[in-house]
Amino acid sequence: MAKTARPAKATLAAVALQAGVSTPTVSKVVNGREDVAPETRARILTALEQAGYQSPVQRRSVARTSTVIEVVVDVLTSAYTTEVLDGILQFAAAEDVEVLVSVAGPSTPTVHTAERRAQRMVDEGRAGMIVVTSAFSEAQMHAFRRRRIPVVVIDPLNPPPADVVSVGATNWAGGKAATEHLLELGHRRIAYIGGIERAECNQARLHGYMAALAAHGISVDPQYIISGGRFRRDSGVSGMKALLGLKKPPTAIFAGSDSIALGVLSEAAHCGLKVPGDISLVGFDGTIQGEECVPALTSVAQPLEEMGRAALRSLLRQARGEVLDSHRVELATHVIVRESTAAPAD
């Protein structure tokens, strides 16, 4: 009886022949090297896909039965990140998904180029990546798109392309609601201390703040708007110092995150000011650290755990080849009134 011929195993040499390049050039692309012309790289990637080539690492990963995804965060120490990760991990446990977490903040050194990182995702059999409050460069997006690796971003620092799923909250509405709460208490000199100026969520919260003031006929004082730091405690400390140096300091502050608000609280205590007796304060996030600080922080609550679940849900649907109805998931915010806001003393 005649034996059925097995299909020829795809090799780098065969791919090189098909693409019209040398085997070392194909090897460079497989290993994520940057020193290959874009047109040549595209031709090689097409040939690799057509040949069904798998690297040794990729072939070893085929036996893995569970789905593996990667989550990239800018920092692991913030309450915001912790609560988002909780949502991702809860949903992952229910779906039998393994989660790998890595840190890629601005001060974190990395040896991975965009191409190498994307190829590593393919080689190790990861289904996709969730990026939390980090910038995802155009080069990274192209590298992932060419390999059909799904990406979901949560509160991205830069606007994602239209075909990339983003998850966030109603930041504009939340900023407006926070400012309206202070206006209803009688405050008129209200400042905003934000985080990274170019971040989409920062811009939306700032514009919500400005819209609330405009609706009450109050002109925006540029001295009362401080951005450019990060969504961290030290931004609140430096922002509070700048505001207290003004001839007419604000009677209330809307902080762009709970971490910023904690910095404001710290600096207020250092200067002998009482919150809310001398100055009212509203945060943004609704994290446990805002609930447990003294005084307990009035804050715009984001559904952080649900944002994590929604991101993983969208990522898994893409990995299964499903077509999504929308590439923007926006969840509602609401103001939680606690102890850090009151009517102005004057």
Side-chain angles (χ1 to χ4, degrees), residues 41-59:
R41 181 186 303 280
R43 194 164 70 250
I44 292 171
L45 288 172
T46 300
L48 285 167
E49 185 177 349
Q50 291 174 348
Y53 175 81
Q54 291 181 321
S55 70
V57 175
Q58 194 175 358
R59 288 193 289 272

Side-chain angles (χ1 to χ4, degrees), residues 97-115:
V97 172
E98 293 183 31
V99 178
L100 301 176
V101 180
S102 61
V103 178
S107 59
T108 305
T110 179
V111 297
H112 295 298
T113 63
E115 292 290 338

Side-chain angles (χ1 to χ4, degrees), residues 13-59:
V15 171
L17 183 63
Q18 182 179 343
V21 298
S22 67
T23 301
T25 302
V26 177
S27 179
K28 287 181 179 180
V29 173
V30 168
N31 289 289
R33 293 270 296 275
E34 294 287 336
D35 50 342
V36 179
E39 299 81 4
T40 304
R41 181 186 303 280
R43 194 164 70 250
I44 292 171
L45 288 172
T46 300
L48 285 167
E49 185 177 349
Q50 291 174 348
Y53 175 81
Q54 291 181 321
S55 70
V57 175
Q58 194 175 358
R59 288 193 289 272

Side-chain angles (χ1 to χ4, degrees), residues 85-98:
L85 278 175
D86 278 347
I88 293 173
L89 294 172
Q90 288 170 20
F91 193 74
E95 296 291 318
D96 191 26
V97 172
E98 293 183 31

Side-chain angles (χ1 to χ4, degrees), residues 5 9 37 45 50 59 102 135 274-275 279-280 286 320 326 336 342:
K9 181 181 176 181
L45 288 172
Q50 291 174 348
R59 288 193 289 272
S102 61
K274 294 181 180 180
V275 177
I279 191 164
S280 284
R320 291 193 292 262
S326 172
I336 299 177

